[in-house]
Amino acid sequence: MVKGQKTGLTIIVIVFVALGISAQNNSTKVFSLDGKWELTGYNPDKTKILRLDAVVPGQVHSDLEREGYIPDPFWRDNAEQCQWPEHWEWRYKKTFDLPEDFMQEWVMIQFDGLDTYADIFINGKKVGNPTQLASQDMFLPFEFDVSRDFLKPIGNVIEVRFYPIAKYADFKSKVKPLRGAFEDPYRPYVRRNQSTFGWDWVHRFISAGIWRPARIVSYKNARVDNLFIYTKKLTENRADMHVEIESTIKESAAKSAKMYLKSDDGTVVWQKEAAAAEELKFGFLIENPKIWWPNGVGEHPLYNLTAELYAENGKLLHTKSVLTGIKTVEIEEIEDGDGTGSSMTLVINGERIYAKGANWVPASPFPATVTEDKYELLLSQFQEAGFNMMRIWGGGIYESETFWKKCAEKGIMVSQDMMLACQNYPVDESGFAQLLLKEFEAIIKKQRNYPSLVFWVGDNELSLGHKPSDDWPLKGFHTHKTAPLMAKLDPSRLFRISSPLGIDPETNNSLKSGDSHTGPLYQPKKADYRKVVDEFSCGRFMSEYFSSGLPPRGSLLKFMTQEDLITGEIMEYHTKDNPYHGGGLTLYRRVTKDASTLYGEYEAGSDMWVSIQEYLHYELNRLAMEANRRRKFYSSGLNFWMFNDQWPASGWSLIDYYGDRKAGYYGAMAGSRPVIAASHIEGDEIVWTLSSDKMEDTKVKAKVIIQPTNGDKTKYEKTFNVTVPANAAREVIHLPLNEVKKELGNDAVLVCEINYDNGYDRSYWTFGLPKDVVYPKNQLDVKITNNGTEGSVIIKSPKWGRVVNLYADGVDFDDNYFEMLPGEERTISWKSHKGELKEEIKVASWNE
Ligand code: BMA
């Protein structure tokens, strides 16, 4: 430690004391139960026993794979050999001594996540209600008072027994079968990651385990249970705040309470002392608050709210802090007045925000294995795409604190579905309904302080296939149970009972109103594919936008062989399919068909065969952003289905299972630039619109050209300066379509290029099918610099460079799958998220 710092520390301690903020030891003691446990597995008829080590937090599949009892569940069709653990009983056991003087008046055992049906025994004694399971819900943290008759100073043995889900779901599912997507009879009855019952992008993996941290906590009869802070009103230089503190105080152990709010530079912006009480509420003002803005709009400053309980003798009994931020959020829903249409626009701190982003699914079927680094990688990719809006989809898991902290730091807005998806649920059974509401309460209290969170949603797609006037599964439950709970526990955010939802009397899933789940994926692709994309990308708030494409060959060969690439079975096995969309083609075959329709036929397994199925995703995502953003604020957002993968697949995701950017990611990223150019056909004209997400007017230099692909002089050229109004879209040029078509023929491209302060964008238009445009052979000149984990690639293209793409395992490029005009030179920056780059960066294009 250098000298300066030492003195700084001394000063801080003095300041704390001066402000009466505790630097003293907190009387609460924590004994972690994480780490190594013994695991014993019993097969269904208890004739077979397996003994192995286990890691907590963790799930049995990871331990079984590590110890070689199952193969890599993600390689080819190995998943078939990884289903048996679901039917076994698994017992975790740990022996431990407690630290000296650990036991105090009030001792609690806490498990943040038990997957799923479990009992807990300490020194042979059952913990919790003797007639009930300790856990029946993977999402519901469990705690129980073990102050007396459970623990001893040394030689404690704790055992957690996990029972097969069939034991609790089989009978119920037979007595009252509940139909649902992907037809799993147990799924509606089991409160765990719904997607791992098998979905149209992940295989079935029903695991078990202590999947989140566990501990024993010893209190001095007082603890701060929950904190809640939100911004009631916000003006430029003043924030009107509300704080609530819930505590448990036994035997009047706590006499006073201290609360303070600190900004991320350590400044205390508010503090309060009060007599300790189980419920405390305060309102206060902050002058010149640091306001939290979404990515691309402003900074994302964070604050820390802390509450402390003190004994009569001034001893600190317990302290609790939560991360938060100062912002307000509303959802503006303006009816078009035709009884059918209505907008849906996020308003943050009084500003309309165009919501660009994607849907989040669990990053592994075994979420305990998702590391902080993996979260950092995925959420940085999200931020670097220029995205600002993420939807946590209702068929996965509620995410970790690490996830939420990173979203807050990166300016990522998040909507949270409650974990219910594509299925009716037994909420008429009081036990199930109570369990669900308990789960919701725990989740609301855990997540409501995060600045990222913008609104809550009751479920995913229980409204689908219904009209607003219909009754649909859980509509009543959410309206009469969930909504009041949300209003009580988080009055600062809106709750929407389902997604999609709108006022279009014909359907809840309408492009004309509210949020919608659709996209051009299932539409046959023909010469007018641009028009089709435009028509399916005009939703008011597209909370799920369907498009799909292959990851790079390098990623495909991490879970299948070259041979598999050609035959296709393993591709199908990993891509899965959605049987409800019809059209007779599986998802994977649809991508193959659409890609060859647009870009031509290639030999199965060849580089071009893979590349066209990658590029389809790029082009459809770019066109989608053009179509939705040119209609800004009739359309106020588009979230791609889906951002990440839960296992190695080759479908919807923008980032593949290995964290590598797919072509679809680069298309979405190009379409998310601060200002973009967007084309559309209107009658007999082609129109260019500039759409800006910048909060100030932007001076743009624009150029529209018709460029022959062989490098000859442009057939048409127009340059002009235009100011694009702040946070709006503006049509800038109309061209007669027939003349453009004549000039274009089949060997030229219409290009609109814009440059503005430190931004740039380009949009292309060709007529008919892309495969019919002629691109002469072209040799790229490439110079690569490699500074270890980052560098650049300088590319010169004498003629038109068609779909120039760069690849190296674990490398992110700041642009990819782009077009190059004849004579153009581009410098592409790269960075590796897998340490030093040893392999060569491959640079290719379609007309090499
Ligand atoms: C929507 C989502 C998911 C599904 C996706 C692709 O239904 O809510 O359930 O995976 O479409 O089919």
Side-chain angles (χ1 to χ4, degrees), residues 199-201 393 422 460-461 522 544 546 578 581 641 652:
W199 217 264
D200 59 350
W201 35 268
W393 169 74
C422 309
N460 173 66
E461 293 189 350
Y522 297 105
E544 281 193 17
F546 303 143
N578 186 315
H581 282 292
W641 180 266
W652 313 93

Side-chain angles (χ1 to χ4, degrees), residues 35-66:
K36 197 162 165 293
W37 286 56
E38 293 159 34
L39 180 60
T40 308
Y42 300 82
N43 72 339
D45 58 11
K46 299 265 182 341
T47 54
K48 269 217 210 108
I49 296 183
L50 260 186
R51 292 189 202 290
L52 62 160
D53 289 342
V55 175
V56 166
Q59 283 150 301
V60 295
H61 279 77
S62 316
D63 301 308
L64 291 165
E65 186 192 352
R66 191 190 56 249

Side-chain angles (χ1 to χ4, degrees), residues 171-188:
F171 175 74
K172 290 180 180 166
S173 65
K174 292 214 167 59
V175 172
K176 198 172 82 184
L178 287 170
R179 295 214 53 231
F182 311 110
E183 309 297 348
D184 183 284
Y186 293 174
R187 182 163 79 79

Side-chain angles (χ1 to χ4, degrees), residues 369-384:
T369 61
V370 182
T371 61
E372 166 140 11
D373 287 352
K374 182 78 185 258
Y375 277 117
E376 179 57 33
L377 171 63
L378 290 171
L379 296 171
S380 305
Q381 302 274 31
F382 198 96
Q383 186 187 29
E384 288 160 24

Side-chain angles (χ1 to χ4, degrees), residues 516-536:
S516 54
H517 294 194
T518 185
L521 179 76
Y522 297 105
Q523 309 309 315
K525 307 294 179 299
K526 299 195 282 312
D528 67 347
Y529 73 104
R530 291 166 177 277
K531 188 161 166 292
V532 171
V533 173
D534 190 70
E535 281 161 7
F536 276 83

Side-chain angles (χ1 to χ4, degrees), residues 284-296:
F284 59 94
L285 298 174
I286 298 179
E287 303 301 335
N288 307 318
K290 293 182 185 174
I291 298 172
W292 188 93
W293 288 96
N295 184 29

